[in-house]
Amino acid sequence: MDPLGDTRPAGSSTEPARMSRRQTLTLVSMASVNFSSMLCYSILGPFFPNEAVKKGANQTVVGLIFGCYAICNLIGSLVLGRYIVQIGTKFMLVAGLFVSAGCTIMFGPCSPEI
């Protein structure tokens, strides 16, 4: 057995199976969800620090707000990743999308008025 997990016999020239249409669509949809999530997070960079300072927060607090996202993401990934087999991948993905959407919507009132 190959240390990389390839179970084909040595010398076999068959190509690995291609992804099915459903797997490809799942991969594309998960990539677009990840992209849009990071897009929402990156939109804050240009205006949030100035608005927070106008409302009385110092630069340290602004840094902690941005860092809080990353640390919560790390801790949540470690904890929930341990139980993904028991919870189920589909439920975990859908629940994560709803939690992320809810947090993004709740953060909306903090943004500046247009």
Side-chain angles (χ1 to χ4, degrees):
M1 181 183 226
D2 188 359
L4 297 176
D6 189 7
T7 58
R8 291 179 291 160
S12 175
S13 62
T14 59
E15 292 184 23
R18 297 188 65 193
M19 289 194 306
S20 69
R21 179 175 168 84
R22 182 180 176 128
Q23 290 173 328
T24 303
L25 290 174
T26 301
L27 180 64
V28 168
S29 66
M30 289 182 67
S32 65
V33 164
N34 190 32
F35 177 74
S36 62
S37 174
M38 290 298 112
L39 188 66
C40 287
Y41 181 64
S42 67
I43 287 173
L44 294 174
F47 72 87
F48 182 74
N50 294 332
E51 291 298 319
V53 168
K54 285 180 190 175
K55 294 182 180 184
N58 61 17
Q59 293 295 326
T60 304
V61 172
V62 172
L64 288 173
I65 290 170
F66 277 101
C68 206
Y69 173 81
I71 198 75
C72 289
N73 202 0
L74 174 70
I75 292 170
S77 296
L78 292 174
V79 170
L80 295 174
R82 176 152 172 84
Y83 298 108
I84 196 167
V85 175
Q86 290 86 6
I87 295 171
T89 55
K90 188 174 183 178
F91 176 78
M92 182 81 75
L93 178 64
V94 172
L97 289 173
F98 277 108
V99 168
S100 178
C103 290
T104 302
I105 290 169
M106 286 190 302
F107 196 74
C110 297
S111 56
E113 294 81 22
I114 297 175

PDB file of all heavy atoms in Angstrom, residues 18-42:
ATOM      1  N   ARG A  18     -12.729  10.241 -12.095  1.00  0.00           N
ATOM      2  CA  ARG A  18     -13.041  11.667 -12.098  1.00  0.00           C
ATOM      3  C   ARG A  18     -14.206  11.924 -11.151  1.00  0.00           C
ATOM      4  O   ARG A  18     -14.981  11.029 -10.848  1.00  0.00           O
ATOM      5  CB  ARG A  18     -13.404  12.110 -13.510  1.00  0.00           C
ATOM      6  CG  ARG A  18     -12.230  11.936 -14.463  1.00  0.00           C
ATOM      7  CD  ARG A  18     -12.525  12.534 -15.785  1.00  0.00           C
ATOM      8  NE  ARG A  18     -12.659  13.984 -15.592  1.00  0.00           N
ATOM      9  CZ  ARG A  18     -13.163  14.800 -16.489  1.00  0.00           C
ATOM     10  NH1 ARG A  18     -13.603  14.332 -17.629  1.00  0.00           N
ATOM     11  NH2 ARG A  18     -13.250  16.086 -16.260  1.00  0.00           N
ATOM     12  N   MET A  19     -14.319  13.169 -10.741  1.00  0.00           N
ATOM     13  CA  MET A  19     -15.428  13.525  -9.864  1.00  0.00           C
ATOM     14  C   MET A  19     -16.726  13.506 -10.653  1.00  0.00           C
ATOM     15  O   MET A  19     -16.753  13.860 -11.831  1.00  0.00           O
ATOM     16  CB  MET A  19     -15.224  14.931  -9.275  1.00  0.00           C
ATOM     17  CG  MET A  19     -14.138  15.005  -8.257  1.00  0.00           C
ATOM     18  SD  MET A  19     -14.145  16.529  -7.281  1.00  0.00           S
ATOM     19  CE  MET A  19     -14.131  17.791  -8.505  1.00  0.00           C
ATOM     20  N   SER A  20     -17.782  13.118  -9.973  1.00  0.00           N
ATOM     21  CA  SER A  20     -19.092  13.121 -10.618  1.00  0.00           C
ATOM     22  C   SER A  20     -19.583  14.564 -10.738  1.00  0.00           C
ATOM     23  O   SER A  20     -19.029  15.490 -10.156  1.00  0.00           O
ATOM     24  CB  SER A  20     -20.088  12.298  -9.811  1.00  0.00           C
ATOM     25  OG  SER A  20     -20.376  12.954  -8.594  1.00  0.00           O
ATOM     26  N   ARG A  21     -20.652  14.747 -11.489  1.00  0.00           N
ATOM     27  CA  ARG A  21     -21.225  16.080 -11.667  1.00  0.00           C
ATOM     28  C   ARG A  21     -21.680  16.646 -10.318  1.00  0.00           C
ATOM     29  O   ARG A  21     -21.473  17.811 -10.024  1.00  0.00           O
ATOM     30  CB  ARG A  21     -22.390  16.004 -12.645  1.00  0.00           C
ATOM     31  CG  ARG A  21     -23.076  17.327 -12.895  1.00  0.00           C
ATOM     32  CD  ARG A  21     -24.134  17.183 -13.977  1.00  0.00           C
ATOM     33  NE  ARG A  21     -24.996  18.327 -14.068  1.00  0.00           N
ATOM     34  CZ  ARG A  21     -24.727  19.426 -14.736  1.00  0.00           C
ATOM     35  NH1 ARG A  21     -23.580  19.528 -15.385  1.00  0.00           N
ATOM     36  NH2 ARG A  21     -25.576  20.428 -14.771  1.00  0.00           N
ATOM     37  N   ARG A  22     -22.275  15.805  -9.497  1.00  0.00           N
ATOM     38  CA  ARG A  22     -22.747  16.257  -8.182  1.00  0.00           C
ATOM     39  C   ARG A  22     -21.582  16.686  -7.291  1.00  0.00           C
ATOM     40  O   ARG A  22     -21.658  17.687  -6.597  1.00  0.00           O
ATOM     41  CB  ARG A  22     -23.544  15.132  -7.530  1.00  0.00           C
ATOM     42  CG  ARG A  22     -24.115  15.514  -6.197  1.00  0.00           C
ATOM     43  CD  ARG A  22     -24.902  14.364  -5.608  1.00  0.00           C
ATOM     44  NE  ARG A  22     -25.354  14.707  -4.290  1.00  0.00           N
ATOM     45  CZ  ARG A  22     -26.592  14.606  -3.888  1.00  0.00           C
ATOM     46  NH1 ARG A  22     -27.509  14.147  -4.704  1.00  0.00           N
ATOM     47  NH2 ARG A  22     -26.925  14.931  -2.666  1.00  0.00           N
ATOM     48  N   GLN A  23     -20.499  15.927  -7.320  1.00  0.00           N
ATOM     49  CA  GLN A  23     -19.324  16.284  -6.528  1.00  0.00           C
ATOM     50  C   GLN A  23     -18.710  17.598  -7.012  1.00  0.00           C
ATOM     51  O   GLN A  23     -18.296  18.425  -6.198  1.00  0.00           O
ATOM     52  CB  GLN A  23     -18.288  15.163  -6.586  1.00  0.00           C
ATOM     53  CG  GLN A  23     -18.688  13.925  -5.841  1.00  0.00           C
ATOM     54  CD  GLN A  23     -17.718  12.779  -6.070  1.00  0.00           C
ATOM     55  OE1 GLN A  23     -17.134  12.662  -7.147  1.00  0.00           O
ATOM     56  NE2 GLN A  23     -17.549  11.941  -5.061  1.00  0.00           N
ATOM     57  N   THR A  24     -18.670  17.785  -8.314  1.00  0.00           N
ATOM     58  CA  THR A  24     -18.131  19.023  -8.871  1.00  0.00           C
ATOM     59  C   THR A  24     -18.994  20.207  -8.469  1.00  0.00           C
ATOM     60  O   THR A  24     -18.468  21.258  -8.056  1.00  0.00           O
ATOM     61  CB  THR A  24     -18.044  18.929 -10.404  1.00  0.00           C
ATOM     62  OG1 THR A  24     -17.252  17.801 -10.753  1.00  0.00           O
ATOM     63  CG2 THR A  24     -17.414  20.175 -10.993  1.00  0.00           C
ATOM     64  N   LEU A  25     -20.312  20.066  -8.559  1.00  0.00           N
ATOM     65  CA  LEU A  25     -21.207  21.155  -8.160  1.00  0.00           C
ATOM     66  C   LEU A  25     -21.105  21.450  -6.670  1.00  0.00           C
ATOM     67  O   LEU A  25     -21.165  22.609  -6.250  1.00  0.00           O
ATOM     68  CB  LEU A  25     -22.644  20.829  -8.550  1.00  0.00           C
ATOM     69  CG  LEU A  25     -22.938  20.841 -10.055  1.00  0.00           C
ATOM     70  CD1 LEU A  25     -24.361  20.367 -10.320  1.00  0.00           C
ATOM     71  CD2 LEU A  25     -22.703  22.214 -10.639  1.00  0.00           C
ATOM     72  N   THR A  26     -20.940  20.409  -5.864  1.00  0.00           N
ATOM     73  CA  THR A  26     -20.767  20.604  -4.424  1.00  0.00           C
ATOM     74  C   THR A  26     -19.480  21.364  -4.143  1.00  0.00           C
ATOM     75  O   THR A  26     -19.462  22.295  -3.323  1.00  0.00           O
ATOM     76  CB  THR A  26     -20.754  19.250  -3.698  1.00  0.00           C
ATOM     77  OG1 THR A  26     -21.975  18.575  -3.951  1.00  0.00           O
ATOM     78  CG2 THR A  26     -20.567  19.425  -2.209  1.00  0.00           C
ATOM     79  N   LEU A  27     -18.409  20.998  -4.827  1.00  0.00           N
ATOM     80  CA  LEU A  27     -17.133  21.683  -4.646  1.00  0.00           C
ATOM     81  C   LEU A  27     -17.233  23.147  -5.067  1.00  0.00           C
ATOM     82  O   LEU A  27     -16.771  24.044  -4.342  1.00  0.00           O
ATOM     83  CB  LEU A  27     -16.036  20.977  -5.446  1.00  0.00           C
ATOM     84  CG  LEU A  27     -14.648  21.571  -5.351  1.00  0.00           C
ATOM     85  CD1 LEU A  27     -14.130  21.463  -3.930  1.00  0.00           C
ATOM     86  CD2 LEU A  27     -13.711  20.879  -6.321  1.00  0.00           C
ATOM     87  N   VAL A  28     -17.867  23.405  -6.190  1.00  0.00           N
ATOM     88  CA  VAL A  28     -18.026  24.781  -6.671  1.00  0.00           C
ATOM     89  C   VAL A  28     -18.897  25.592  -5.712  1.00  0.00           C
ATOM     90  O   VAL A  28     -18.590  26.750  -5.392  1.00  0.00           O
ATOM     91  CB  VAL A  28     -18.610  24.797  -8.103  1.00  0.00           C
ATOM     92  CG1 VAL A  28     -19.046  26.182  -8.513  1.00  0.00           C
ATOM     93  CG2 VAL A  28     -17.596  24.257  -9.084  1.00  0.00           C
ATOM     94  N   SER A  29     -19.977  24.997  -5.217  1.00  0.00           N
ATOM     95  CA  SER A  29     -20.849  25.740  -4.298  1.00  0.00           C
ATOM     96  C   SER A  29     -20.152  26.022  -2.968  1.00  0.00           C
ATOM     97  O   SER A  29     -20.297  27.116  -2.416  1.00  0.00           O
ATOM     98  CB  SER A  29     -22.159  24.994  -4.075  1.00  0.00           C
ATOM     99  OG  SER A  29     -21.940  23.787  -3.404  1.00  0.00           O
ATOM    100  N   MET A  30     -19.383  25.078  -2.466  1.00  0.00           N
ATOM    101  CA  MET A  30     -18.666  25.323  -1.218  1.00  0.00           C
ATOM    102  C   MET A  30     -17.577  26.374  -1.403  1.00  0.00           C
ATOM    103  O   MET A  30     -17.354  27.207  -0.522  1.00  0.00           O
ATOM    104  CB  MET A  30     -18.081  24.024  -0.677  1.00  0.00           C
ATOM    105  CG  MET A  30     -19.151  23.087  -0.156  1.00  0.00           C
ATOM    106  SD  MET A  30     -18.509  21.581   0.547  1.00  0.00           S
ATOM    107  CE  MET A  30     -17.666  22.198   1.967  1.00  0.00           C
ATOM    108  N   ALA A  31     -16.934  26.363  -2.551  1.00  0.00           N
ATOM    109  CA  ALA A  31     -15.918  27.384  -2.828  1.00  0.00           C
ATOM    110  C   ALA A  31     -16.562  28.762  -2.931  1.00  0.00           C
ATOM    111  O   ALA A  31     -16.011  29.748  -2.436  1.00  0.00           O
ATOM    112  CB  ALA A  31     -15.167  27.047  -4.114  1.00  0.00           C
ATOM    113  N   SER A  32     -17.736  28.847  -3.550  1.00  0.00           N
ATOM    114  CA  SER A  32     -18.401  30.148  -3.667  1.00  0.00           C
ATOM    115  C   SER A  32     -18.909  30.632  -2.311  1.00  0.00           C
ATOM    116  O   SER A  32     -18.882  31.838  -2.028  1.00  0.00           O
ATOM    117  CB  SER A  32     -19.535  30.088  -4.688  1.00  0.00           C
ATOM    118  OG  SER A  32     -20.552  29.234  -4.248  1.00  0.00           O
ATOM    119  N   VAL A  33     -19.358  29.726  -1.457  1.00  0.00           N
ATOM    120  CA  VAL A  33     -19.784  30.108  -0.108  1.00  0.00           C
ATOM    121  C   VAL A  33     -18.590  30.633   0.684  1.00  0.00           C
ATOM    122  O   VAL A  33     -18.679  31.668   1.366  1.00  0.00           O
ATOM    123  CB  VAL A  33     -20.439  28.909   0.617  1.00  0.00           C
ATOM    124  CG1 VAL A  33     -20.537  29.147   2.101  1.00  0.00           C
ATOM    125  CG2 VAL A  33     -21.800  28.632   0.032  1.00  0.00           C
ATOM    126  N   ASN A  34     -17.463  29.952   0.587  1.00  0.00           N
ATOM    127  CA  ASN A  34     -16.259  30.403   1.290  1.00  0.00           C
ATOM    128  C   ASN A  34     -15.805  31.757   0.752  1.00  0.00           C
ATOM    129  O   ASN A  34     -15.441  32.659   1.520  1.00  0.00           O
ATOM    130  CB  ASN A  34     -15.146  29.372   1.142  1.00  0.00           C
ATOM    131  CG  ASN A  34     -13.974  29.659   2.034  1.00  0.00           C
ATOM    132  OD1 ASN A  34     -14.131  30.199   3.116  1.00  0.00           O
ATOM    133  ND2 ASN A  34     -12.794  29.304   1.572  1.00  0.00           N
ATOM    134  N   PHE A  35     -15.845  31.927  -0.561  1.00  0.00           N
ATOM    135  CA  PHE A  35     -15.455  33.201  -1.166  1.00  0.00           C
ATOM    136  C   PHE A  35     -16.366  34.330  -0.709  1.00  0.00           C
ATOM    137  O   PHE A  35     -15.898  35.405  -0.325  1.00  0.00           O
ATOM    138  CB  PHE A  35     -15.486  33.080  -2.696  1.00  0.00           C
ATOM    139  CG  PHE A  35     -15.174  34.358  -3.407  1.00  0.00           C
ATOM    140  CD1 PHE A  35     -13.877  34.838  -3.458  1.00  0.00           C
ATOM    141  CD2 PHE A  35     -16.179  35.095  -4.003  1.00  0.00           C
ATOM    142  CE1 PHE A  35     -13.575  36.024  -4.110  1.00  0.00           C
ATOM    143  CE2 PHE A  35     -15.902  36.285  -4.650  1.00  0.00           C
ATOM    144  CZ  PHE A  35     -14.591  36.749  -4.710  1.00  0.00           C
ATOM    145  N   SER A  36     -17.665  34.108  -0.731  1.00  0.00           N
ATOM    146  CA  SER A  36     -18.593  35.170  -0.334  1.00  0.00           C
ATOM    147  C   SER A  36     -18.482  35.483   1.159  1.00  0.00           C
ATOM    148  O   SER A  36     -18.629  36.635   1.569  1.00  0.00           O
ATOM    149  CB  SER A  36     -20.026  34.817  -0.710  1.00  0.00           C
ATOM    150  OG  SER A  36     -20.442  33.657  -0.045  1.00  0.00           O
ATOM    151  N   SER A  37     -18.196  34.486   1.965  1.00  0.00           N
ATOM    152  CA  SER A  37     -18.001  34.718   3.397  1.00  0.00           C
ATOM    153  C   SER A  37     -16.782  35.601   3.637  1.00  0.00           C
ATOM    154  O   SER A  37     -16.836  36.556   4.424  1.00  0.00           O
ATOM    155  CB  SER A  37     -17.845  33.382   4.114  1.00  0.00           C
ATOM    156  OG  SER A  37     -17.532  33.575   5.462  1.00  0.00           O
ATOM    157  N   MET A  38     -15.689  35.289   2.961  1.00  0.00           N
ATOM    158  CA  MET A  38     -14.484  36.105   3.108  1.00  0.00           C
ATOM    159  C   MET A  38     -14.677  37.489   2.491  1.00  0.00           C
ATOM    160  O   MET A  38     -14.103  38.470   2.956  1.00  0.00           O
ATOM    161  CB  MET A  38     -13.280  35.407   2.464  1.00  0.00           C
ATOM    162  CG  MET A  38     -12.811  34.187   3.212  1.00  0.00           C
ATOM    163  SD  MET A  38     -12.240  34.603   4.880  1.00  0.00           S
ATOM    164  CE  MET A  38     -13.482  33.830   5.865  1.00  0.00           C
ATOM    165  N   LEU A  39     -15.506  37.583   1.471  1.00  0.00           N
ATOM    166  CA  LEU A  39     -15.814  38.876   0.868  1.00  0.00           C
ATOM    167  C   LEU A  39     -16.531  39.774   1.874  1.00  0.00           C
ATOM    168  O   LEU A  39     -16.198  40.961   2.012  1.00  0.00           O
ATOM    169  CB  LEU A  39     -16.665  38.681  -0.380  1.00  0.00           C
ATOM    170  CG  LEU A  39     -16.928  39.888  -1.246  1.00  0.00           C
ATOM    171  CD1 LEU A  39     -15.631  40.373  -1.873  1.00  0.00           C
ATOM    172  CD2 LEU A  39     -17.928  39.543  -2.327  1.00  0.00           C
ATOM    173  N   CYS A  40     -17.498  39.211   2.590  1.00  0.00           N
ATOM    174  CA  CYS A  40     -18.208  39.982   3.617  1.00  0.00           C
ATOM    175  C   CYS A  40     -17.246  40.459   4.702  1.00  0.00           C
ATOM    176  O   CYS A  40     -17.347  41.585   5.193  1.00  0.00           O
ATOM    177  CB  CYS A  40     -19.314  39.150   4.243  1.00  0.00           C
ATOM    178  SG  CYS A  40     -20.727  38.906   3.177  1.00  0.00           S
ATOM    179  N   TYR A  41     -16.316  39.610   5.076  1.00  0.00           N
ATOM    180  CA  TYR A  41     -15.350  39.970   6.114  1.00  0.00           C
ATOM    181  C   TYR A  41     -14.386  41.040   5.614  1.00  0.00           C
ATOM    182  O   TYR A  41     -14.036  41.963   6.343  1.00  0.00           O
ATOM    183  CB  TYR A  41     -14.594  38.726   6.571  1.00  0.00           C
ATOM    184  CG  TYR A  41     -13.584  38.968   7.647  1.00  0.00           C
ATOM    185  CD1 TYR A  41     -13.977  39.404   8.905  1.00  0.00           C
ATOM    186  CD2 TYR A  41     -12.230  38.765   7.424  1.00  0.00           C
ATOM    187  CE1 TYR A  41     -13.050  39.635   9.906  1.00  0.00           C
ATOM    188  CE2 TYR A  41     -11.302  38.987   8.407  1.00  0.00           C
ATOM    189  CZ  TYR A  41     -11.715  39.426   9.647  1.00  0.00           C
ATOM    190  OH  TYR A  41     -10.796  39.649  10.633  1.00  0.00           O
ATOM    191  N   SER A  42     -13.962  40.952   4.359  1.00  0.00           N
ATOM    192  CA  SER A  42     -12.977  41.901   3.850  1.00  0.00           C
ATOM    193  C   SER A  42     -13.576  43.270   3.543  1.00  0.00           C
ATOM    194  O   SER A  42     -12.846  44.247   3.437  1.00  0.00           O
ATOM    195  CB  SER A  42     -12.302  41.342   2.602  1.00  0.00           C
ATOM    196  OG  SER A  42     -13.233  41.253   1.540  1.00  0.00           O
TER     197      SER A  42
END
